[in-house]
Amino acid sequence: MQNNLLVKEFSTPFKSAPFSKINNQDFIPAIEKLIQESETQIKAIEENLQLPTFSNTIEALEKIGLQLDRVTSILFNLNSAQTNEEIQEITQNASKILTKFSSDVSLNTVIFNKVKSVYGTLDNLILDEEQKILLEKTYKGFKRNGADLQEDKKNRLREIDLKLSQLGLIFGKNVLDETNRFFIQIEEEKELVGLPSYAIEAAKEEANQRELKGWVFTLQIPSYLPFMKFSANRELREKMSIAFGSKAFYNNEKDNQQNILEIVGLKKERANLLGYNSYAQFVLEERMVKEPAAVFSFLEELLQKSLPAAKKEIEELKAIGLEEGILDIKSWDHAYLSEKLKEKKLAFSDEQIKPYFKLENVLNGAFEIANRLFGISFIERKDIEVYHSDVWVYEVLDENKEHLSLLYTDFFPRKEKRAGAWMTSFKNQSNYGLNTSERPHISIVCNFTKPTESNPSLLTFDEVTTLFHEFGHALHGMLANTKYKSLSGTSVLWDFVELPSQFMENFCYEKEALSLFAKHYQTAEVLPEELIEKIIISKKFMSGYQTLRQISFSMLDMAWYNSDISLVKNVSEFEQEVLQPTQLYPFVEGTNMSCSFSHIFQGGYAAGYYSYKWAEVLDADAFEAFKEKGIFNKEIAIKFKDTILSMGGTRQPMDLYLAFRGKKPNVTPLLKRAGLIN
């Protein structure tokens, strides 16, 4: 244990993770050792004979396990971005150990009684707002994790939490394995008709790596999406679409149907044990939207606004389909015909603008916008270790050129990396006092178009907005300035967390912002003004359909976590029934969304997927303030930073929003932005 570098602070620049020196076999011993140290600290709180106070109980609990947090964040982040069978097995074992420890703490009657004692004197304590929030969060955390339950129910809660921790990891592993399993090999060049040169070149490199002839297309998004958008081969589009839609739904050892039923059933049982009717009710108690009924009402309002527009858009696609010889359009025709319609209506396609979005330029554009808004700057650091050669690291400096954060960026797909895009952290921010300030280490992970032998990484516009989205989350983490780690950065109510990320997407549609980074990768020519105008107009293109699609995901999520799961016998039939009001294409036999819906079965979005649309209301309304005074207006930007980005969860979200905007958010800017109302 003495040689296990994971058990103590890292002696590296900014205490960054020393990836090359980490032995995978050290994770479990380190976690066990650090848990022992944490248990000793908890014991000291238990045995303290002094009257429980905010300092000796609440703050003492908050300071436990800083190094444990670091080690587990490294392990779980590697399991997401650079995994293998060894890491997966270690993560499974670590999850069991950590879940037991978490249960031991949250179900500790002695500690809870001390917390309850402090909480009972809240009105008489002299605390600042952040301290009050921490006290309330700590008390609710114990209550919502079963500290008040009888012993038999506590034991059942332990069993449930342990099983859920394992099921989530298994669900994610199955989705990753299924994503990597499928590919299409094309050997005849005539079957490549319609595909852009960059997609063909990437497919050739994929085939070479697999030592196969011809071209290989996979279910990784940078390969899958261009194929679905541009391939003129309808038969192969159908094959790709069905493979994508049937991940982990094959009635084999990777099938997630039983995992879903177990996850949903256990979460409902957990909620019932704690006195809630459903898991959705349990979750939403700690959200801006407080009740399932309010979520359904919100989704219904958006459905009524978007459904007529979506139906009209599908009729336009049908007309284009007839021109293409497609008499009965199906879901695998949607992206292909949408691209044709965009070219016809806007004389505009992704292919025209892709050369202007070289990855490095887009990233530097995000950095420049952050500098103009918040005064921060980014310096690449080659002396900080990374877990893969694709990862770039930047030191982030504040307006006074003082160290603010580290930012890791990991942009390209690998078979060891799960699909999608996300922001995470390797080290939390906290500021407990003099000489105890910890600055965060933030990471954004994506799966973008890779560079080829002849071209750099050129992003689709969707990838550009994804980068800005995750960068918005990163800003929330990097600019955090709270005392307590559990209230820092993105540690906010779940339906508020998407505000900074979706707010940053707005800059991708602003001429003044695009001119900073949208430059041709060969000539450095700035994106022509007519193309910028078309990008701005394109935000409303197919917006009814896109809104309806997000509503359908949200409705499926809410249905899983707000229904009587005992009545659900068939995952596919349940999903079809829920999605029927939002479906504009015929159901495709053999496909299922739920079985690869990692957000709600592996990630933290269970009964919370609606938050993407909820946060769009907030971000559209918030960006109006910038549109009114200038998108780089320093006064508004600093106010946004000081009231939203740096505050984390130290206030109630609506209080933070009111402090920034001076009024409650209005849905009108979102509906106008999407073209759903005039």
Side-chain angles (χ1 to χ4, degrees), residues 48-65:
N48 188 338
L49 298 178
Q50 294 180 331
L51 191 70
T53 65
F54 181 83
S55 177
N56 69 25
T57 302
I58 308 303
E59 282 192 326
L61 285 169
E62 175 70 8
K63 293 176 183 178
I64 290 172

Side-chain angles (χ1 to χ4, degrees), residues 230-244:
F230 300 110
S231 173
N233 190 322
R234 192 183 187 212
E235 185 179 329
L236 288 182
R237 289 203 313 272
E238 178 182 357
K239 189 176 180 181
M240 283 284 275
S241 176
I242 290 175
F244 192 87

Side-chain angles (χ1 to χ4, degrees), residues 74-117:
I74 292 169
L75 174 59
F76 282 89
N77 285 334
L78 288 176
N79 190 52
S80 292
Q82 190 59 26
T83 196
N84 54 45
E85 288 188 6
E86 182 184 31
I87 287 287
Q88 288 169 351
E89 184 179 350
I90 290 168
T91 306
Q92 288 271 5
N93 292 334
S95 182
K96 292 177 185 176
I97 298 167
L98 291 162
T99 301
K100 180 183 181 303
F101 171 62
S102 176
S103 294
D104 287 345
V105 176
S106 61
L107 297 173
N108 185 314
T109 303
V110 175
I111 294 293
F112 177 57
N113 285 336
K114 286 177 175 278
V115 170
K116 187 159 57 172
S117 173

